[in-house]
Amino acid sequence: MSIHGSKLLFMDNWKISYNNYLPEEQGKREALLALGNGYVVVRGAFEETTDDGIHYPGTYLAGGYNRLKTEIAGHIAENEDLVNWPNALPLTFSIGNGPPFHIDRVKIHHFQQELDLKSGFLLRKMKFTDSAGRQTSLTTKRFVSMENQHVLAIEWEIIPENWSGKLTVYSTIDGGVVNNNVARYSDLNKQHLNLLQTGHLEENIISLAAETNQSRVTMALAARTQLFVDNEKQAVSGKFETKDNKISNILDIEVKQGQTIQIEKLVTIYTSKDVAIS
């Protein structure tokens, strides 16, 4: 165990664990808890967050570089960067007509985050109360597959502790990301991606494709979202929404106090750098 003021980091031979949430530490933790498989790496940002100065979701491709020019004080600076690619992590929910869940907008009663280096799972456990007094338990799991380098999987488990009602799930692929995580590069051109297309292939599957604007590398992502209640798959047909370079699958379900609701999001990622892609 390592203690730095109020910051607690627990380590054993295979696990890195935190038992509190500290926004000022989040950037460091996202880097330490990143998951990768040699093909892609995903920072350990929470699924419900965006680039806001505290959180910084990042998806990086091996060899996924792009070169841009920026005019600074009358001179042209040219810089090659490892690109932050479209973010397939976004997942959250709302209760009734309330706002979508975000860790920074609820009262946290319990928090634990753990990276198991042996299994490759990133785990988070929370119990929180929202502004309407509704208490919820949330467990999230994530892995980047070593068996199939193109696969990323997310599972959320939600338990309504003192409420029943409509649960709305938002599952998104965000193509509007930029390179924005290094302060000394803040004056450089950050916009490396052009959005090519968004779509929904079949029920509850969304897709997005983007291309780097100089190296012309294309990435295509697809995500299937499914809902389960007490381990029983639910036949829920969602609607789709496209705006701000994002595509979302939105699903509604009625839930009861004490039930266990599982959200499963399975993502595949392919690029034009893959072998035998034409």
Side-chain angles (χ1 to χ4, degrees):
M1 179 178 72
S2 175
I3 302 178
H4 303 281
S6 62
K7 295 167 278 191
L8 298 181
L9 167 64
F10 294 87
M11 300 182 65
D12 64 19
N13 289 337
W14 286 105
K15 295 180 181 179
I16 301 174
S17 302
Y18 298 94
N19 68 357
N20 58 1
Y21 168 59
L22 296 172
E24 67 271 19
E25 286 288 302
Q26 190 57 24
K28 182 190 300 181
R29 293 185 185 183
E30 288 177 359
L32 292 173
L33 302 179
L35 299 179
N37 59 9
Y39 179 74
V40 294
V41 62
V42 180
R43 282 173 59 88
F46 304 135
E47 290 86 0
E48 72 275 11
T49 63
T50 58
D51 175 12
D52 61 4
I54 296 174
H55 311 275
Y56 185 73
T59 301
Y60 303 97
L61 170 70
Y65 291 91
N66 193 61
R67 183 179 294 272
L68 290 180
K69 296 179 180 180
T70 306
E71 183 176 345
I72 301 176
H75 299 279
I76 299 298
E78 189 170 8
N79 199 63
E80 187 171 51
D81 293 304
L82 187 63
V83 174
N84 184 12
W85 292 86
N87 179 20
L89 293 182
L91 187 64
T92 190
F93 64 91
S94 61
I95 303 168
N97 295 318
F101 162 73
H102 190 291
I103 191 169
D104 294 325
R105 301 177 194 137
V106 296
K107 181 180 179 181
I108 299 173
H109 306 292
H110 168 77
F111 178 90
Q112 180 185 0
Q113 191 175 27
E114 177 180 283
L115 173 59
D116 188 326
L117 296 168
K118 192 171 186 177
S119 69
F121 276 103
L122 180 59
L123 172 72
R124 172 176 49 149
K125 292 184 177 181
M126 292 180 60
K127 183 173 287 188
F128 62 88
T129 300
D130 65 17
S131 58
R134 293 171 295 213
Q135 189 171 104
T136 305
S137 292
L138 172 66
T139 301
T140 73
K141 299 176 183 177
R142 184 197 307 171
F143 77 90
V144 175
S145 177
M146 293 292 290
E147 181 176 349
N148 185 335
Q149 64 181 3
H150 302 283
V151 173
L152 159 69
I154 302 166
E155 182 186 75
W156 277 29
E157 184 177 279
I158 300 166
I159 301 177
E161 299 288 354
N162 66 349
W163 58 272
S164 300
K166 185 179 77 169
L167 183 77
T168 301
V169 175
Y170 305 89
S171 178
T172 300
I173 303 175
D174 183 2
V177 300
V178 297
N179 278 42
N180 195 36
N181 197 35
V182 181
R184 66 179 181 272
Y185 295 155
S186 60
D187 292 333
L188 298 179
N189 193 340
K190 306 173 186 179
Q191 187 66 52
H192 290 274
L193 296 175
N194 293 330
L195 183 66
L196 298 180
Q197 65 178 33
T198 60
H200 47 92
L201 307 179
E202 52 186 84
E203 188 173 83
N204 298 332
I205 297 180
I206 54 178
S207 65
L208 181 147
E211 181 184 59
T212 50
N213 50 25
Q214 176 271 328
S215 56
R216 300 302 178 189
V217 178
T218 302
M219 176 179 283
L221 309 92
R224 181 193 68 192
T225 306
Q226 298 184 105
L227 301 185
F228 301 79
V229 175
D230 293 332
N231 293 314
E232 293 289 332
K233 183 179 176 181
Q234 305 298 298
V236 180
S237 295
K239 62 180 181 180
F240 302 95
E241 181 178 87
T242 302
K243 66 177 182 179
D244 299 329
N245 292 328
K246 303 175 185 178
I247 182 166
S248 298
N249 186 194
I250 304 170
L251 304 99
D252 293 328
I253 188 171
E254 292 291 328
V255 300
K256 297 179 181 178
Q257 180 179 347
Q259 286 184 322
T260 300
I261 300 95
Q262 290 114 350
I263 309 169
E264 179 188 276
K265 184 174 184 179
L266 186 66
V267 178
T268 55
I269 302 172
Y270 283 84
T271 81
S272 59
K273 292 176 68 67
D274 295 337
V275 175
I277 294 292
S278 62

